[in-house]
């Protein structure tokens, strides 16, 4: 009876030790997501651009008229979950894809 309890603890501890490894693997996967195309239907609807110089200020005035417009980038948006300093990262608005850290879209919301 003691051996079955020990075996259960071993399985539990072994499984617990795997959680950080799985977490690291998912982080690596997130960095390998394909970059969303600017011609993607969602990207078009949200006015997403990889480069802020390409934003149509007439169609999407939020960025140019906002007092903090010059600091609005994907990397400091609440929807962006990329690693700080990375060129691209995942965005909740584009599942399975990444966005340019220096990009922007009309749903930009400052991180708290």
């Amino acid at each position: 009876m003691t051996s079955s309890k020990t075996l259960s603890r071993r399985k539990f501890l072994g499984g617990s030790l795997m959680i950080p490894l799985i977490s690291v693997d998912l982080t690596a996967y997130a960095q390998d997501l394909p970059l969303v195309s600017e011609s993607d239907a969602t990207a078009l609807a949200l006015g997403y651009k990889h480069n802020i110089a390409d934003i149509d200020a007439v169609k999407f005035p939020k960025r140019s008229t906002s007092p903090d417009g010059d600091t609005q980038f994907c990397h400091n948006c609440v929807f962006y979950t990329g690693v700080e300093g990375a060129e691209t990262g995942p965005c909740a608005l584009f599942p399975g894809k990444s966005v340019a850290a220096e990009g922007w879209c009309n749903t930009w919301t400052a991180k708290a």
Side-chain angles (χ1 to χ4, degrees):
M1 198 174 236
T2 306
S3 63
S4 67
K5 286 184 180 180
T6 304
L7 185 59
S8 295
R9 272 186 252 163
R10 285 182 187 161
K11 284 184 179 180
F12 174 77
L13 289 175
S16 298
L17 294 174
M18 292 300 292
I19 292 171
L21 296 176
I22 293 168
S23 199
V24 169
D25 189 44
L26 292 176
T27 302
Y29 170 74
Q31 293 172 353
D32 293 334
L33 293 174
L35 187 63
V36 67
S37 169
E38 290 181 356
S39 62
D40 177 270
T42 305
L44 287 171
L46 300 178
Y48 171 78
K49 295 292 181 183
H50 301 305
N51 184 337
I52 59 168
D54 298 333
I55 296 168
D56 183 345
V58 174
K59 190 172 180 182
F60 298 100
K62 177 182 171 182
R63 188 171 204 290
S64 61
T65 59
S66 173
D68 60 347
D70 60 338
T71 62
Q72 294 180 9
F73 296 99
C74 290
H75 67 82
N76 61 8
C77 176
V78 70
F79 299 112
Y80 182 81
T81 58
V83 178
E84 187 175 332
E87 290 184 26
T88 63
C91 173
L93 301 174
F94 301 99
K97 298 177 184 167
S98 65
V99 296
E102 295 292 318
W104 181 87
C105 85
N106 199 44
T107 60
W108 181 88
T109 305
K111 284 186 180 179

